Amino acid sequence: MRILGITGGIATGKSTVTQMLADLGAPTISADALAHDLLAPGTLVTRSVLAAFPGCADPADLERLTVDRRALGRLVFAEPAARARLEALTHPAITTALRDQIALWRASDGARAAAAEIPLLFEAGLENLVDCIVVVTCSLPVQAARMLARGRFSMEEVRCRLAAQWPLAQKEARADILVTTTDGEEDTRRQVETLWKTL
């Protein structure tokens, strides 16, 4: 079984591409979903994060120790040192979970390929986990428009988050395969189906 590492920038369409691969029969895992689970109310990682960032506790749910994810996001994307502290608290557990799942896939005789959606694949140095790196990309105006359309980001937050990530061109240069999502879902699906057929 080949392991595909799905990566790219925020709002480029990584989850869409991963879901399309799932629809074609690929088992999948998402680093973002793992991170979300780690930061569930009251978990050990949540307690560590709130100890490091006490101002990011959700005031509406202090009893259960809940992270105000929006406040945390604003902080860590504005301050590189804060982002590094957060990653030090969360990345080891995420990486362990990814490694464990990929080891299970490699030991199985299942689908022709599995997909691990890892937004920070390059930044975290996890290229060796996968056999083929698929970078999902789109034009910068489309990327920014998608972020704004989600209704969770101001224009300043969009700028901060884009500035905090590797430029898409840098990721594209290290890709084994590029999937571009600028031209809409049907065009993206065509590219993903072509990729699947070549595996």
Side-chain angles (χ1 to χ4, degrees):
M1 179 186 292
R2 295 192 75 194
I3 308 300
L4 306 178
I6 313 300
T7 194
I10 187 171
T12 56
K14 301 180 300 299
S15 296
T16 297
V17 168
T18 301
Q19 182 58 55
M20 288 177 178
L21 287 165
D23 292 343
L24 291 167
T28 65
I29 190 171
S30 163
D32 279 352
L34 291 171
H36 192 275
D37 290 345
L38 285 171
L39 288 176
T43 65
L44 185 60
V45 172
T46 293
R47 290 172 184 273
S48 298
V49 167
L50 291 178
F53 306 100
C56 294
D58 186 342
D61 198 8
L62 291 174
E63 203 171 290
R64 287 201 311 153
L65 292 176
T66 300
V67 175
D68 182 336
R69 294 169 189 270
R70 182 152 189 181
L72 183 63
R74 279 196 301 265
L75 174 64
V76 301
F77 282 102
E79 298 180 20
R83 189 166 66 255
R85 276 204 321 267
L86 177 64
E87 289 172 356
L89 293 169
T90 58
H91 281 194
I94 293 169
T95 300
T96 296
L98 288 169
R99 288 186 189 281
D100 289 349
Q101 180 58 70
I102 288 170
L104 288 173
W105 284 337
R106 289 194 187 282
S108 75
D109 293 322
R112 68 181 77 170
E117 183 184 343
I118 311 173
L120 300 180
L121 184 141
F122 293 123
E123 295 90 329
L126 299 178
E127 298 98 317
N128 65 332
L129 280 184
V130 302
D131 303 312
C132 177
I133 297 173
V134 180
V135 172
V136 183
T137 188
C138 66
S139 70
L140 184 58
V142 167
Q143 188 181 17
R146 286 174 181 167
M147 292 176 70
L148 289 170
R150 292 176 180 179
R152 299 197 311 260
F153 305 115
S154 67
M155 182 54 78
E156 184 56 31
E157 287 173 313
V158 168
R159 290 192 193 98
C160 281
R161 291 187 181 231
L162 291 176
Q165 298 191 337
W166 279 23
L168 280 176
Q170 192 174 350
K171 294 190 176 191
E172 291 166 6
R174 299 177 66 173
D176 296 310
I177 295 170
L178 284 177
V179 174
T180 58
T181 65
T182 300
D183 294 327
E185 192 166 316
E186 285 311 306
D187 181 65
T188 301
R189 190 180 306 280
R190 178 187 57 75
Q191 295 174 70
V192 172
E193 288 174 350
T194 298
L195 161 62
W196 187 250
K197 288 173 186 173
T198 64
L199 293 172

